[in-house]
Amino acid sequence: MFAGSGALGIEAVSRGAASSMLVEQDRKTADTLREILKILGTDEVVVHETDALQWIKGAEQPFDIIFLDPPFGNNLIEKSLLLLVESACVTEQTLIYVESDSALQTVINVEVIKQAKAGQVNYTLLKTVAD
């Protein structure tokens, strides 16, 4: 989600993930990602050029892990998490990895598995919990 450079999704495939889906709204960035994937010769990574929040609302398949790395300072983490935990993307086994500029505040229906800071980036690994 909010793919940017695509590094998290591409790295996941390079480390054994069967596939990766990159969701990126910016057309130029999405085109650049497609070109990079063409150079890498990988069919395991697919780029969806769309708004991430709208994509979540229409998503129908569950994921093992979701990387959430929105632009900092836009309140997109909370909005995304609230949509994700109610979506078909997330099951009880789904892990959600979040990168943020500050420590993640508690969000309903998710449990923090691990939280730390590396340089300027805070990262949090989450799992959904039953109501």
Side-chain angles (χ1 to χ4, degrees), residues 31-96:
D31 288 343
T32 300
L33 286 168
R34 288 185 193 98
E35 288 300 316
I36 290 168
L37 295 171
K38 196 179 295 183
I39 291 167
L40 293 173
T42 182
D43 294 328
E44 293 84 8
V45 182
V46 176
V47 178
H48 287 272
E49 184 183 322
T50 188
D51 175 76
L53 299 178
Q54 290 301 315
W55 184 87
I56 294 169
K57 292 177 184 177
E60 297 180 359
Q61 74 181 83
F63 293 88
D64 295 327
I65 187 164
I66 296 172
F67 297 106
L68 186 59
D69 186 13
F72 294 164
N74 291 335
N75 198 30
L76 290 170
I77 292 171
E78 290 79 12
K79 290 177 186 177
S80 299
L81 286 173
L82 290 171
L83 287 172
L84 279 170
V85 298
E86 299 297 325
S87 75
C89 296
V90 176
T91 68
E92 291 179 9
Q93 290 76 39
T94 303
L95 297 173
I96 304 170

Side-chain angles (χ1 to χ4, degrees), residues 17 88 117:
K117 185 173 183 176

Side-chain angles (χ1 to χ4, degrees), residues 97-118:
Y97 172 85
V98 181
E99 288 191 354
S100 58
D101 58 347
S102 60
L104 191 64
Q105 301 302 313
T106 304
V107 177
I108 195 165
N109 296 340
V110 296
E111 169 188 4
V112 174
I113 296 171
K114 182 176 184 176
Q115 192 168 37
K117 185 173 183 176

Side-chain angles (χ1 to χ4, degrees), residues 5-15 20 22 33 36-37 40 45:
S5 70
L8 292 172
I10 293 169
E11 181 73 12
V13 169
S14 77
R15 292 183 177 257
S20 180
L22 306 178
L33 286 168
I36 290 168
L37 295 171
L40 293 173
V45 182

